[in-house]
Amino acid sequence: MPISTALVTTDRPARYLKQLVSHLGHKATAQLTGDGRGTVQLVAGTCALTAGSDGLSLIATATDTEGLARVQDVVARHLTRFATQEVLNVDWSEPAAGEDLEIVDPVVGDYLLAHSTAPDDVLQELAVTTREATGRASTMQVSHDEGALLTMLTRLVNARFAVEVGTFTGYSAVCIARGLADDGRLLTCDISDEWTSVARPYWERAGVADRIELTLGPAVDTLRALPDEPVIDIAFIDADKANYPAYYEEIVPRLRPGGLVVLDNVFLAGRVFDPAYQEEHHLAMRRLNDAIVGDERVEAVMLPVRDGVTLARKR
């Protein structure tokens, strides 16, 4: 459970942040941004620092509790040493695991659902059918507020050609197809005939079946078969997480300027924040999240929508 936080009450948070980053920069990798945030990368782990109105916020992470304790000790010792005019108390929270973090508080989540455009009868019935047909796997279906977001984004970019990686039972496909221009087309990719067979009758009922082309097979192969030119207006990636980097790299070169790629589940239920999780899909998602920030081909924003959604717009 190698995540811990602390709020250090002080009227000089920016000063201490700068001092800590400057001092530890001689012993570790340290960075300071103009928006009042700093990071210190130690051998044992990392500490992120933010200067706010209440004081200095600290977030320590490591791959194990022993490393976490070392990060906590180094940061606390240096902070208290800098404080010559006041007494700083660094009270760390009990170590926690990323999966225990509440990404969206249930109260907030319920309010969001109640104040987003409601799904129509077709989508509501598809959601019920999905729960009945897939059991616990039904959590892979996007929530109706995220579905409404997909429809809106598709309309905002005036999309005529959309790509979806990961169809499941077709809920998000309906949402994207409904946002397409009148002559629009959605290419959606999946490997499961069983789950996608649930989708087809609902596409018919939603009046979008003629806009959707379903391809069964490895999505990377389907994407590579597309023209090597900017033909995609919007893409939605919501499939196997270990292959997200490959999907992204096939899509971005084919995205037209001003086009959008939307990536779901970029938090991995909080596990992406927690370096203790080292399975292939955890590493792949962290690697891609870091890569998108530095990708000069796009401008990006990560949103705390459900399990995390990244929007990357082609420059």
Side-chain angles (χ1 to χ4, degrees), residues 63-136:
T63 56
D64 53 41
T65 53
E66 182 178 343
L68 180 66
R70 289 199 294 271
V71 174
Q72 291 173 319
D73 178 66
V74 169
V75 172
R77 279 193 295 107
H78 283 83
L79 273 177
T80 54
R81 186 183 303 168
F82 296 145
T84 58
Q85 300 178 20
E86 62 181 321
V87 176
L88 294 183
N89 295 311
V90 185
D91 297 321
W92 294 100
S93 66
E94 288 296 317
E99 64 182 344
D100 295 330
L101 298 176
E102 196 75 72
I103 304 300
V104 178
D105 188 275
V107 175
V108 176
D110 180 73
Y111 195 82
L112 290 173
L113 292 173
H115 292 85
S116 298
T117 299
D120 63 5
D121 290 344
V122 174
L123 287 177
Q124 291 189 57
E125 290 176 27
L126 174 52
V128 172
T129 300
T130 298
R131 288 195 295 271
E132 294 173 348
T134 67
R136 294 181 64 181

Side-chain angles (χ1 to χ4, degrees), residues 174-185:
V174 171
C175 296
I176 296 169
R178 283 177 166 172
L180 291 169
D182 291 341
D183 57 347
R185 180 171 69 95

